[in-house]
Amino acid sequence: MKNVGRKHCEKHNVPFIKSVSLQGSIVHIEYMRDKSKDMPIIENPLEITSMTIWHCNYLSFAQISKCTNLEQLNVATLPEGGFNFLSKCSSLKFLSITHLPNISNLDALSGLLELETLSLSTLPSWDTSGKKNCRSYS
């Protein structure tokens, strides 16, 4: 595994890890508890096939749209209100998102024709009272 950056989170007393691992033809990138508001620019986005973004403070996932060969995406805490950032990720086969408080539109998921596994879940502490209903697609 190639470490591409390491900081330490004082609040949670854990390191932020931004790493890339190469496993044959699979290139995986991880962002863990990054407090930055801007998602880092992904170098060589066409090489990325797997990504994990875990409880980061990014305001947008627009960088992911450049990863057109992405096959697997795991996210905890999604800042987006929809899935338009995935519109160019036509190779996506696995999508798992935990905690998606701003989601109000699932329409963009209908364009993910290779998608085999979809998992959308909320945190147990998330209260649905007073929240918007999510519009589904057919």
Side-chain angles (χ1 to χ4, degrees):
M1 184 181 302
K2 177 182 175 188
N3 186 7
V4 293
R6 186 174 283 238
K7 299 183 213 173
H8 194 270
C9 174
E10 303 299 332
K11 181 179 178 183
H12 298 289
N13 198 28
V14 294
F16 300 126
I17 299 173
K18 294 179 188 170
S19 62
V20 176
S21 56
L22 307 171
Q23 302 166 355
S25 62
I26 297 172
V27 178
H28 177 78
I29 189 167
E30 290 184 356
Y31 299 101
M32 307 294 265
R33 299 189 183 279
D34 187 355
K35 298 298 179 192
S36 302
K37 297 295 180 194
D38 296 322
M39 185 173 181
I41 294 172
I42 300 171
E43 292 185 31
N44 305 315
L46 298 179
E47 294 178 11
I48 305 299
T49 57
S50 176
M51 184 180 301
T52 298
I53 304 171
W54 208 252
H55 298 294
C56 294
N57 285 3
Y58 307 142
L59 298 176
S60 170
F61 281 0
Q63 286 292 322
I64 294 174
S65 68
K66 297 175 184 175
C67 301
T68 56
N69 294 316
L70 190 66
E71 294 180 4
Q72 180 173 334
L73 178 61
N74 293 289
V75 174
T77 308
L78 182 70
E80 305 285 343
F83 291 98
N84 291 336
F85 67 97
L86 294 175
S87 64
K88 295 181 182 175
C89 299
S90 58
S91 299
L92 198 64
K93 294 178 183 176
F94 178 92
L95 176 61
S96 176
I97 301 181
T98 302
H99 193 52
L100 49 166
N102 300 319
I103 286 294
S104 61
N105 189 327
L106 301 176
D107 290 345
L109 293 177
S110 66
L112 301 175
L113 302 179
E114 298 295 319
L115 195 62
E116 297 171 1
T117 303
L118 173 64
S119 174
L120 303 176
S121 59
T122 60
L123 296 174
S125 61
W126 195 66
D127 179 13
T128 60
S129 62
K131 305 291 191 264
K132 291 188 246 178
N133 288 328
C134 189
R135 192 174 68 173
S136 64
Y137 68 93
S138 53

